[in-house]
């Protein structure tokens, strides 16, 4: 069984996907990690991020492995644990250069399908999972939340890590990421026609999972 979860950055889809996979005892595929790993390689190698062929070459040279570690999934590239290195602000801010070029997406979509094939039942999370990568998935979710609520959560999360962030700046970053996610020509963030839409604004993380489980049970 394949369950896809797509949605914008900060909507809560990643937490939901991880928890859902755990509760169902399914594997979990973090497809954002493939774009992040490509970006990390490009930054480390000093590649011109706007050079689409060079970015596609970085993607083609990935040797990715994802491995469950406690409640999380560790990401390795060519044997190196890059789980933390792909989550820095620098990688987050530049991942759009990996996400936009069709040549990169072609390589990474193929990689994601290959990884999926080895997983058995799995939950996959990204932007184009229900539309492009796994259009035949049994259950598709599209997770949304308002920009303001996503910014509020992010500011709270940063505060927990001891960082004081300005709400308006965080909100502007989120809206900027939305713009680049929704507007790219290939693999844009888009609601699959057959998706169940969940707005997480009023939800606790647990409520989102419960709504998802209720839909999955209904579809079995
Ligand atoms: O979900 P995330 O923040 O880890 O995603 C990182 C980047 O990759 C972000 O720019 C969106 C992009 N992405 C994508 O284009 N397609 C996916 N399936 C997953 C992520």
């Amino acid at each position: 069984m394949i369950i896809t979860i797509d949605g914008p950055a900060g909507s809560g889809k990643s937490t939901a996907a991880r928890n859902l996979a755990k509760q169902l005892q399914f594997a979990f595929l973090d497809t954002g990690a493939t774009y992040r790993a490509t970006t990390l390689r490009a930054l480390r190698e000093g590649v011109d991020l706007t050079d689409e062929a060079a970015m596609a070459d970085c993607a083609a040279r990935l040797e990715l492995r994802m491995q469950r570690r406690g409640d999380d999934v560790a990401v390795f590239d060519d044997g190196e644990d890059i789980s933390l290195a792909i989550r820095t602000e620098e990688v987050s801010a530049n991942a759009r250069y990996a996400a936009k070029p069709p040549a990169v997406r072609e390589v990474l979509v193929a990689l994601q399908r290959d990884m999926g094939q080895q997983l058995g039942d799995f939950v996959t999370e990204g932007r184009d999972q229900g539309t492009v990568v796994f259009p035949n998935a049994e259950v598709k979710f599209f997770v949304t939340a308002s920009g303001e609520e996503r910014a509020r959560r992010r500011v709270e999360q940063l505060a927990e890590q001891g960082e004081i962030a300005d709400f308006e700046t965080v909100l502007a970053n989120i809206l900027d990421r939305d713009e680049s996610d929704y507007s790219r020509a290939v693999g844009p963030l888009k609601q699959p026609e057959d998706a169940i839409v969940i707005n997480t604004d009023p939800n606790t993380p647990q409520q989102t999972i419960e709504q998802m489980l209720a839909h999955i049970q209904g579809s079995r």
Side-chain angles (χ1 to χ4, degrees):
M1 184 175 193
I2 303 178
I3 299 173
T4 64
I5 305 184
D6 292 304
S11 58
K13 68 178 187 317
S14 182
T15 306
R18 280 163 211 266
N19 289 336
L20 189 65
K22 192 174 162 205
Q23 287 209 13
L24 293 170
Q25 294 189 305
F26 278 24
F28 168 63
L29 181 59
D30 171 5
T31 65
T34 66
Y35 293 91
R36 289 173 177 274
T38 302
T39 308
L40 179 66
R41 267 200 184 239
L43 288 169
R44 284 180 172 176
E45 293 176 15
V47 163
D48 173 359
L49 298 178
T50 63
D51 180 341
E52 301 197 352
M55 292 300 283
D57 185 55
C58 285
R61 284 186 285 113
L62 291 176
E63 298 279 351
L64 280 193
R65 192 163 52 84
M66 296 189 193
Q67 191 179 307
R68 186 174 284 278
R69 185 161 59 198
D71 278 353
D72 216 341
V73 174
V75 183
F76 297 82
D77 183 14
D78 199 15
E80 180 194 346
D81 185 348
I82 56 166
S83 313
L84 291 179
I86 59 171
R87 305 278 161 210
T88 61
E89 272 310 306
E90 189 188 17
V91 170
S92 300
N94 288 302
R96 66 184 62 197
Y97 295 104
K100 189 172 170 221
V104 177
R105 298 200 75 88
E106 194 181 321
V107 172
L108 295 184
V109 164
L111 177 63
Q112 291 159 21
R113 287 187 183 135
D114 273 359
M115 291 173 119
Q117 277 215 316
Q118 294 165 30
L119 292 179
D121 296 325
F122 64 97
V123 178
T124 180
E125 179 243 304
R127 306 294 190 286
D128 57 351
Q129 299 301 289
T131 50
V132 174
V133 187
F134 301 106
N136 297 325
E138 284 85 350
V139 182
K140 300 179 186 179
F141 293 106
F142 192 76
V143 176
T144 65
S146 66
E148 284 72 15
E149 177 60 18
R150 288 184 283 145
R152 197 192 60 70
R153 290 178 192 160
R154 179 75 185 135
V155 168
E156 201 174 275
Q157 187 186 35
L158 287 169
E160 277 164 19
Q161 296 163 11
E163 255 183 79
I164 311 277
D166 171 53
F167 177 85
E168 293 301 331
T169 309
V170 171
L171 177 60
N173 279 339
I174 283 176
L175 297 181
D176 184 42
R177 264 177 221 180
D178 280 1
E179 162 65 20
S180 98
D181 262 343
Y182 280 109
S183 68
R184 71 179 156 260
V186 175
L189 173 59
K190 191 172 153 206
Q191 182 183 318
E193 275 173 23
D194 46 352
I196 297 141
V197 180
I198 297 184
N199 175 5
T200 67
D201 269 7
N203 285 0
T204 61
Q206 188 54 32
Q207 284 170 325
T208 300
I209 299 292
E210 279 161 17
Q211 287 175 3
M212 289 179 164
L213 286 170
H215 284 291
I216 293 162
Q217 266 139 25
S219 74
R220 267 175 163 175

